[in-house]
Amino acid sequence: MRVLVLIGWGIAAVVVGTWLALVEVFWLPLRVGGVLVPLSVVAAVVGNLLLVGVAYRWSRSRVVAVLPALAWLAAALGAARRRPEGDLVIVGTGALGYVGLAFLLVGVVAAAFAVGRVLASPRRRTPADDDVPAA
């Protein structure tokens, strides 16, 4: 039963991490009054820090906690690659290029920090652990 719950949490973590990255990528060219607003950079930091922590808190699994960070990274890097049709979502020129690079850099750093914080934390005991005699 615990395995099915973890699989469900894992799927949810991957879906939310991917969705978060896609929303942030499409917010990159956001302009208010003609001024570029780097909302995606802030959302990448806050989203990755919160999502990894929440996934760990709710699932009590370090593996599940790492999944949203990996999904975010895969989606963000996928958006930075040129499609066969020639489309490029994260462009590398001008002010938008700097915002795109900042988005990738701080998003990855925030995800790595959140994953490191989860992996370095003491292991939580689960009710299933109480059934196993101490070795």
Side-chain angles (χ1 to χ4, degrees), residues 19-40:
W19 175 82
L20 184 67
L22 291 176
V23 167
E24 291 166 355
V25 162
F26 288 114
W27 279 349
L28 281 171
L30 178 67
R31 294 180 188 274
V32 174
V35 177
L36 189 62
V37 179
L39 182 63
S40 290

Side-chain angles (χ1 to χ4, degrees), residues 78-89:
R81 296 191 59 213
R82 188 172 298 278
R83 306 265 313 138
E85 299 85 18
D87 299 338
L88 186 61
V89 180

Side-chain angles (χ1 to χ4, degrees), residues 35-91:
V35 177
L36 189 62
V37 179
L39 182 63
S40 290
V41 177
V42 175
V45 171
V46 173
N48 283 331
L49 289 175
L50 288 177
L51 192 55
V52 171
V54 167
Y56 179 62
R57 205 169 306 118
W58 287 354
S59 71
R60 293 187 182 146
S61 169
R62 292 177 178 184
V63 173
V64 172
V66 171
L67 292 177
L70 292 176
W72 184 92
L73 179 64
L77 289 179
R81 296 191 59 213
R82 188 172 298 278
R83 306 265 313 138
E85 299 85 18
D87 299 338
L88 186 61
V89 180
I90 299 179
V91 297

Side-chain angles (χ1 to χ4, degrees), residues 52 111-121:
V52 171
F113 177 78
V115 167
R117 192 173 59 191
V118 165
L119 294 179
S121 68

